Amino acid sequence: MKKFVFVAALAVCAVTMISLSSAQDIRSMAATTRGGAANFDTQVREVNMAAIPQATASQITPQIQMLRPRDGRTDAQFAEMKRQAAQLAGSGSGNGMLRNAAPAPAGGSTFLHSPNAFFAQSQVCCTPSDMAIAVGPTYVAQFVNTYIAVYTKTGALQTGYPKSADTFFGLPGGTYTTDPRGFYDWTNGRYVFVMLTESSPKGSNNVGELMLAVSATSNPSGSWHVYKWQVGNTSECPDYPTLGHDTDNWGKNGTKGAIYIGINQFSNNCKGGLIQNYMFVIPKDKPYAGTGIPFWYQYGLSVNGLLVDTLQPSNPVMQGDRPSATYLTNTFNINFNCGAGCGGLTIWSVNNSAAFTTGGPGPTFSGAVVGTSHTYYYPPNANQPGGAQTIETIDTRITGSMYYHAGDLWGSFETGVSGVKGAHQIWFDYHPILDVNGNITGGDERQEDCFVCGGFGANGSSYFATLSPDSENNVTMTYTFSDDSTYPEYVVTGRRVSFGDTLMNGVGSYLAGGSGYYGWY
């Protein structure tokens, strides 16, 4: 088997990133939540996916303009934040002076590969391009901003696809739909997706709604149960949903586990600041049966009195993964000055997720702030041929799904690096620690790596990584890469569980090369 040579960039990273001066200062920060409430939605829409006609060209490419992820800044303020992030690298020759600068990922490696890899649907309507995918035993279901596709696992697009997201969710044609997320529940044999819709995201009197879709069987081309509910008030703006689940037995109505959906809420029709965070807890039994659903919504999750954002629920990897609580994780982002550097992250535990459905107490939320080995900063935008800093890398939020297996939580977020050009990801592996009641008291950081933070040789950036462990905690990491001579490409690397701690086995190999200039907005 061909092996990658690990690029010796970690030593450079250690001197260019500022370590936390006192882990105790971070851990003493108070993680709290203010309130929650139960709700019952009796409306369910039954959809036969096979009966939906194939999407027309106008449905696939409606004339809509997407929004960048909301963060409470105006576009001008956001651009200034990105300008300052680029200055973190300093002036002068940049990466070209780094002796250990890494080369771009190469193609053709046999280190990690799949004989069944295939190209799924491209986003042809709008940027930023949003996509969610869920892989079951026979089929692959894919949701993008405006349409849905189903493939076999060998890449055969099923007859009649793609199908319009508006038609599937029962919305008027041309409705603004965005931010899909999905998973396949291997224990219960169901596909689960969530999407967001806004009535007037660039106008007035906006109404934002979450839409939840659950397949009735393990065949995504069959029947689905679809739910929709408003988030917040008129003229407010929900944004950037996150999705996770567990398969614990929480008792009546939750014997199959629960679904967890996080979302950020902004004011002034998507133009204002962060006014709230929400975490929706939905016990699975009723949505899986296609009946009206109960859900709990928790809000006000804060650290030192400041609202956190983009809470990422965990997803179990194996059918036997049943921790005493479900975990949510957030970095410090919107309400925290990460231009000057942030450290630490918060792990929240959620248990007792179904008792509220029978008149009992709501789910129990507890939070613990844990230290990180690196200080992190807002990331600069990434380069591509013909466009310096033209690819959006967002901010310090956890952008991809979080995965849990055998006591470990895996995730990643973006950062800038002092003295090094480009955006880079910090990936981490934490072991949450619970008390006898299933409430979190802390967490041990088992691994953390600022990936190739010594820099790539052509002002390269790596961003939007997701880490997936297997049954032994071998880990695959996928990410996006681009540099001065490379259009955005999809890259994979990984590590064996027996490999050196905090190391990936090289920069990886690209699975799909960049095909052209990527424009944002």
Side-chain angles (χ1 to χ4, degrees):
M1 178 179 291
K2 180 180 178 181
K3 297 292 185 181
F4 283 103
V5 177
F6 180 74
V7 179
L10 292 177
V12 177
C13 186
V15 298
T16 57
M17 297 291 285
I18 302 172
S19 297
L20 292 175
S21 59
S22 172
Q24 181 59 40
D25 291 341
I26 292 294
R27 293 190 176 96
S28 66
M29 294 168 70
T32 60
T33 179
R34 291 202 297 272
N39 201 346
F40 295 85
D41 186 347
T42 60
Q43 301 298 313
V44 55
R45 181 171 183 268
E46 296 297 328
V47 178
N48 181 358
M49 184 75 85
I52 297 174
Q54 186 170 341
T56 64
S58 62
Q59 290 174 321
I60 290 175
T61 57
Q63 298 302 308
I64 60 175
Q65 185 178 12
M66 309 302 287
L67 293 171
R68 65 169 171 82
R70 301 289 85 193
D71 64 353
R73 296 175 176 86
T74 65
D75 287 346
Q77 290 169 334
F78 187 78
E80 175 60 19
M81 181 192 82
K82 285 296 187 173
R83 187 191 69 80
Q84 293 178 11
Q87 287 187 326
L88 184 67
S91 59
S93 54
N95 291 354
M97 296 298 292
L98 296 174
R99 291 186 299 173
N100 293 321
S109 171
T110 57
F111 169 61
L112 285 169
H113 72 284
S114 169
N116 294 330
F118 61 90
F119 285 101
Q121 297 294 302
S122 297
Q123 182 69 75
V124 296
C125 77
C126 34
T127 58
S129 51
D130 297 324
M131 191 276 290
I133 200 165
V135 181
T138 306
Y139 299 102
V140 177
Q142 180 199 22
F143 281 47
V144 296
N145 279 324
T146 57
Y147 53 101
I148 302 164
V150 173
Y151 295 83
T152 66
K153 293 178 75 171
T154 58
L157 180 65
Q158 297 300 279
T159 302
Y161 289 91
K163 298 178 186 291
S164 164
D166 285 344
T167 304
F168 176 79
F169 285 110
L171 303 171
T175 298
Y176 183 97
T177 52
T178 186
D179 290 350
R181 296 267 185 163
F183 65 80
Y184 183 76
D185 184 340
W186 281 86
T187 299
N188 299 297
R190 303 300 182 90
Y191 290 86
V192 177
F193 284 87
V194 65
M195 284 190 77
L196 176 66
T197 180
E198 314 268 12
S199 65
S200 182
K202 294 191 175 184
S204 60
N205 297 320
N206 181 65
V207 174
E209 295 178 302
L210 273 172
M211 302 176 295
L212 173 68
V214 178
S215 68
T217 68
S218 61
N219 183 351
S221 290
S223 297
W224 289 73
H225 315 308
V226 176
Y227 304 86
K228 182 175 66 172
W229 65 93
Q230 183 173 334
V231 180
N233 301 310
T234 299
S235 299
E236 294 178 354
C237 177
D239 186 59
Y240 213 86
T242 59
L243 178 65
H245 74 116
D246 61 44
T247 55
D248 293 18
N249 185 343
W250 297 112
K252 186 175 181 179
N253 297 322
T255 63
K256 301 178 186 299
I259 299 165
Y260 303 83
I261 304 171
I263 200 159
N264 304 323
Q265 185 79 353
F266 296 88
S267 64
N268 191 22
N269 295 291
C270 303
K271 306 176 194 64
L274 178 69
I275 57 173
Q276 196 50 265
N277 53 44
Y278 292 105
M279 180 59 58
F280 294 92
V281 180
I282 306 171
K284 289 179 179 176
D285 290 13
K286 288 187 178 295
Y288 280 21
T291 63
I293 59 171
F295 62 83
W296 181 272
Y297 59 98
Q298 192 75 15
Y299 57 91
L301 286 82
S302 304
V303 171
N304 272 10
L306 297 175
L307 289 173
V308 298
D309 65 273
T310 320
L311 292 136
Q312 289 283 1
S314 59
N315 290 271
V317 171
M318 307 300 293
Q319 294 186 32
D321 283 331
R322 289 182 172 84
S324 300
T326 289
Y327 301 108
L328 322 172
T329 310
N330 69 267
T331 50
F332 299 123
N333 188 35
I334 292 174
N335 283 333
F336 300 82
N337 182 17
C338 295
C342 287
L345 51 80
T346 319
I347 304 175
W348 305 82
S349 62
V350 187
N351 57 42
N352 192 35
S353 293
F356 75 93
T357 67
T358 55
T364 302
F365 284 70
S366 299
V369 179
V370 297
T372 51
S373 298
H374 300 89
T375 297
Y376 50 91
Y377 303 86
Y378 295 126
N381 286 341
N383 289 10
Q384 61 182 320
Q389 299 172 28
T390 53
I391 299 177
E392 182 55 65
T393 57
I394 314 182
D395 46 30
T396 59
R397 73 186 70 192
I398 298 171
T399 51
S401 296
M402 291 279 301
Y403 288 94
Y404 170 88
H405 174 56
D408 286 65
L409 276 174
W410 301 85
S412 174
F413 58 94
E414 279 63 54
T415 186
V417 181
S418 177
V420 178
K421 292 186 178 180
H424 301 270
Q425 70 254 25
I426 293 176
W427 65 264
F428 58 84
D429 166 17
Y430 276 86
H431 172 63
I433 300 171
L434 306 180
D435 63 19
V436 294
N437 296 313
N439 299 320
I440 194 164
T441 60
D444 291 335
E445 184 185 64
R446 291 183 168 174
Q447 300 182 84
E448 181 183 316
D449 175 26
C450 188
F451 184 69
V452 195
C453 282
F456 291 95
N459 299 319
S461 292
S462 58
Y463 43 101
F464 301 155
T466 299
L467 288 89
S468 301
D470 68 7
S471 59
E472 195 182 5
N473 265 347
N474 304 306
V475 175
T476 298
M477 182 171 76
T478 57
Y479 66 94
T480 304
F481 175 85
S482 64
D483 64 15
D484 292 343
S485 58
T486 307
Y487 292 115
E489 60 186 16
Y490 187 62
V491 181
V492 62
T493 185
R495 54 168 283 108
R496 291 227 176 248
V497 68
S498 54
F499 203 44
D501 283 350
T502 75
L503 302 179
M504 287 290 167
N505 191 10
V507 297
S509 59
Y510 62 81
L511 296 179
S515 59
Y517 191 91
Y518 183 81
W520 187 265
Y521 310 140

